[in-house]
Amino acid sequence: MRQIFTLNKIFLFCLLSFLSLTTFAQVGIGTTDPNGDALLEIDASTTPGGLLLPRVDLVATNNVAPLSAHVRGMAVYNKANTSGANGVTPGYYFNDGSQWVRIAASSDVSDDWKLIGNAGTVPGTNFIGTTDNQPLRVRTNDVERFEFTNNGRLRSFHNGGPGQPTYSWVDRSNTGMWSQADNVISFSTNGTEKFRIPNAEQVYAMGNGTAAAPFYSWSSDSDIGMYRIQNNTLGFSTNGNERVRFSGTEAAFNNEESNYNFRIGSSGRSNMFFINAANNRIGIQTSTPAFNFHMLNSGNVGENTSMATFVNSGTNAVALSSRNSGVNGYNAFEGVTDYNGTIYATSGVFGLAIANSGEGIGVRGASNSSNGYGVRGSIPTSGQWQGYGGLFLGGLGYANGLYNLSDERAKKNVIKISSALDNILKIEGVSYNYDMKKFNPNASEDPHTYYGFIAQNVKEYLPFAVAEKRVPFDDAYIKSQSASESKSELLNVVDYTALVPVLVEAIKEQQSIIDSQEARITKLEALVQQLINK
């Protein structure tokens, strides 16, 4: 058998050598009729077998060994397995003229993406994109549609429209987002534009809505919200009915509930702001306003705050004005306090010129009628009578007279003052300084020297000119919008005007003594003259 195999090999070698000498001839192995376009055709139909390429041990893809030179088209089967960037593994290789290129098998792992999908991908390792600083573009029908920029942005080459928004869904292709114009984004549903964001700090609603289906609403309560009634008119609805309307000139309210048109509430305060439809009254924290505007404080507002504040930061106009017109006989403004304790110095009306310099006026009263009153104060004179109809600390200035009610018709039990001179002679005038800090360390120090009387001395001889009154000793500076503690003492005060009639009667008594003495002197002078004449 070995001899036969050897002879066959010799015969085949001779045959191939002969054929190779024939120019433009086709060679057939296992066939006598090779294909005309093939230089060599091997037919294994009668004698099964295969083509066994040369088996070599390659060193590296960039190394020609074990061959002598790179020849384009050269094919071999590599048996070696080397490592490194240019390493080789067992398998078929062909030479492209400069290096060995492996012919991949179906079992080999490939980085190529398939058109019918891929399996075995690893997030963070496998991806579609670029590894250099270039964007990735996607085309359909050879037209560029989208671009992934090198800084991670997705951009579209198509503006879209309401019926074909650029960003949409397969089963809802007429709903999505598109660019209506330069720097303008629009949103559409069912092929109709619904929202538009222009190149401004605004959002445009492309529809008006109705009271039953307001444009801005909630999926769980679609008949409540805001809508556009007409040009320059904004409406709010609840339960499908219009409740509030704001137009360019007015605001209107409506509510079907029994007693009010409009109400604003907050957590725990359902009647925070309340408009009563029955009597056109407004209440804050009260659902039954007793006045046209009625505000209550159901809790502690806080120190240094007020229930209502009017601040005018302009250079003219008053911060708050109230007025009764015509024959209205009620007060235009009333300040009332119900406080009946002694801890705080409360005021029905309090005015404060808060600047510590200048000529500000805390409270100013004026009347344009000479029959009116600029300022009027009063207290009842019954009881302990420890207060004042008017109290001025720091001096009292006046012009055009200081008047006391002296009409005989307003008096009773009139008794002439007697022994006036004796009492006046017992009263001592003194000079003194006030010691305010004895009663309040925060009171202002008064350096002035005054002339007057000691109340205890006056009270001993003229008790009707002395009374016990509560004298306040205020802090040096008064704060606004805060409660101030009452720092006062019950002290003796002197009614200096009450001493005037006593002084008048004392002068009259003294004058009577003088007149009597002058009469006696006249008589004595006459007697002396008579003696001289004798």
Side-chain angles (χ1 to χ4, degrees):
M1 286 293 295
R2 184 169 183 81
Q3 291 180 345
I4 296 173
F5 179 73
T6 302
L7 291 175
N8 288 338
K9 290 175 62 178
I10 295 173
F11 174 76
L12 179 60
F13 173 77
C14 294
L15 178 62
L16 291 175
S17 299
F18 173 77
L19 292 176
S20 65
L21 298 176
T22 305
T23 307
F24 302 110
Q26 288 76 37
V27 177
I29 298 177
T31 179
T32 59
D33 185 19
N35 189 282
D37 292 327
L39 295 178
L40 173 64
E41 179 181 354
I42 301 175
D43 188 349
S45 59
T46 57
T47 305
L51 177 64
L52 185 61
L53 293 179
R55 289 164 288 177
V56 298
D57 292 319
L58 295 179
V59 177
T61 57
N62 59 350
N63 193 331
V64 69
L67 276 67
S68 60
H70 287 293
V71 178
R72 181 178 297 176
M74 182 70 70
V76 298
Y77 180 85
N78 172 55
K79 299 182 297 176
N81 196 336
T82 64
S83 61
N86 298 307
V88 296
T89 57
Y92 289 99
Y93 282 80
F94 74 91
N95 198 291
D96 65 357
S98 62
Q99 64 178 348
W100 295 103
V101 180
R102 193 178 193 286
I103 301 174
S106 60
S107 60
D108 292 339
V109 178
S110 175
D111 291 335
D112 297 335
W113 284 87
K114 299 178 182 178
L115 296 179
I116 58 175
N118 297 271
T121 60
V122 179
T125 300
N126 305 114
F127 63 92
I128 297 177
T130 63
T131 58
D132 54 7
N133 192 24
Q134 295 296 323
L136 175 66
R137 293 189 175 182
V138 179
R139 297 187 181 191
T140 62
N141 197 26
D142 202 25
V143 177
E144 291 179 330
R145 305 300 187 186
F146 287 96
E147 178 184 85
F148 295 90
T149 65
N150 55 358
N151 58 0
R153 298 166 57 197
L154 174 62
R155 300 192 299 192
S156 173
F157 288 92
H158 177 61
N159 292 332
Q164 294 180 332
T166 303
Y167 299 94
S168 183
W169 291 265
V170 172
D171 57 343
R172 291 181 287 276
S173 61
N174 58 0
T175 297
M177 181 177 68
W178 51 285
S179 177
Q180 190 268 342
D182 287 346
N183 299 316
V184 179
I185 296 178
S186 292
F187 297 84
S188 62
T189 62
N190 197 26
T192 302
E193 183 181 8
K194 298 300 175 63
F195 280 102
R196 179 183 299 177
I197 303 177
N199 188 22
E201 295 180 356
Q202 294 177 289
V203 176
Y204 290 164
M206 308 310 295
N208 293 328
T210 63
F215 196 88
Y216 297 94
S217 186
W218 289 263
S219 60
S220 61
D221 199 0
S222 61
D223 60 354
I224 177 174
M226 181 176 68
Y227 63 103
R228 179 178 178 267
I229 297 176
Q230 59 189 20
N231 190 31
N232 292 322
T233 303
L234 183 65
F236 294 84
S237 64
T238 61
N239 197 28
N241 296 312
E242 179 187 347
R243 307 302 187 190
V244 183
R245 175 181 296 194
F246 293 98
S247 69
T249 58
E250 63 179 359
F253 309 94
N254 178 49
N255 195 299
E256 293 178 347
E257 297 188 37
S258 59
N259 292 325
Y260 59 90
N261 299 65
F262 182 72
R263 182 174 69 185
I264 297 177
S266 63
S267 178
R269 298 182 179 181
S270 60
N271 296 325
M272 188 79 173
F273 185 84
F274 191 99
I275 296 180
N276 194 304
N279 50 24
N280 295 323
R281 292 173 176 172
I282 298 175
I284 295 181
Q285 296 194 33
T286 174
S287 60
T288 57
F291 313 98
N292 288 341
F293 183 81
H294 192 176
M295 179 167 57
L296 297 178
N297 175 24
S298 59
N300 186 9
V301 175
E303 187 179 0
N304 297 329
T305 59
S306 57
M307 290 179 61
T309 300
F310 300 85
V311 178
N312 181 8
S313 300
T315 58
N316 52 35
V318 298
L320 173 64
S321 177
S322 61
R323 178 177 180 175
N324 278 349
S325 301
V327 297
N328 191 325
Y330 287 83
N331 298 321
F333 178 81
E334 287 187 0
V336 179
T337 176
D338 288 336
Y339 182 72
N340 59 2
T342 59
I343 298 176
Y344 298 103
T346 61
S347 303
V349 175
F350 176 73
L352 172 64
I354 199 168
N356 55 14
S357 62
E359 298 182 359
I361 300 174
V363 175
R364 176 183 176 184
S367 174
N368 285 338
S369 171
S370 62
N371 295 327
Y373 307 93
V375 175
R376 174 180 169 179
S378 64
I379 63 169
T381 57
S382 59
Q384 294 180 328
W385 198 39
Q386 296 177 355
Y388 309 87
L391 175 64
F392 299 88
L393 302 177
L396 170 63
Y398 64 92
N400 303 325
L402 181 62
Y403 301 97
N404 184 276
L405 178 58
S406 296
D407 193 301
E408 184 179 12
R409 293 171 295 178
K411 298 179 180 180
K412 64 180 181 178
N413 302 324
V414 177
I415 300 175
K416 190 176 184 307
I417 297 173
S418 60
S419 303
L421 183 58
D422 290 340
N423 291 322
I424 289 296
L425 292 174
K426 296 174 183 178
I427 296 177
E428 298 177 352
V430 296
S431 65
Y432 57 90
N433 297 102
Y434 282 115
D435 187 7
M436 301 297 188
K437 289 186 175 293
K438 178 186 295 184
F439 304 101
N440 180 9
N442 297 324
S444 298
E445 189 69 55
D446 187 353
H448 298 87
T449 299
Y450 297 92
Y451 291 88
F453 304 109
I454 300 299
Q456 284 80 355
N457 174 235
V458 177
K459 185 176 182 180
E460 184 177 356
Y461 303 104
L462 298 174
F464 56 85
V466 179
E468 279 192 332
K469 294 284 187 179
R470 190 157 292 280
V471 179
F473 296 92
D474 294 335
D475 292 347
Y477 295 99
I478 300 176
K479 299 178 182 179
S480 64
Q481 296 184 352
S482 63
S484 59
E485 292 185 5
S486 176
K487 295 181 177 65
S488 62
E489 292 289 334
L490 192 62
L491 301 175
N492 291 314
V493 296
V494 175
D495 183 3
Y496 279 73
T497 60
L499 298 178
V500 173
V502 179
L503 290 172
V504 170
E505 290 302 317
I507 292 173
K508 289 165 62 177
E509 290 180 3
Q510 190 177 51
Q511 186 63 42
S512 177
I513 293 174
I514 292 173
D515 290 343
S516 175
Q517 289 176 345
E518 286 182 348
R520 291 180 61 191
I521 291 172
T522 300
K523 289 180 180 181
L524 290 173
E525 287 178 347
L527 291 174
V528 170
Q529 190 63 41
Q530 289 177 4
L531 292 173
I532 292 173
N533 292 334
K534 290 181 178 180

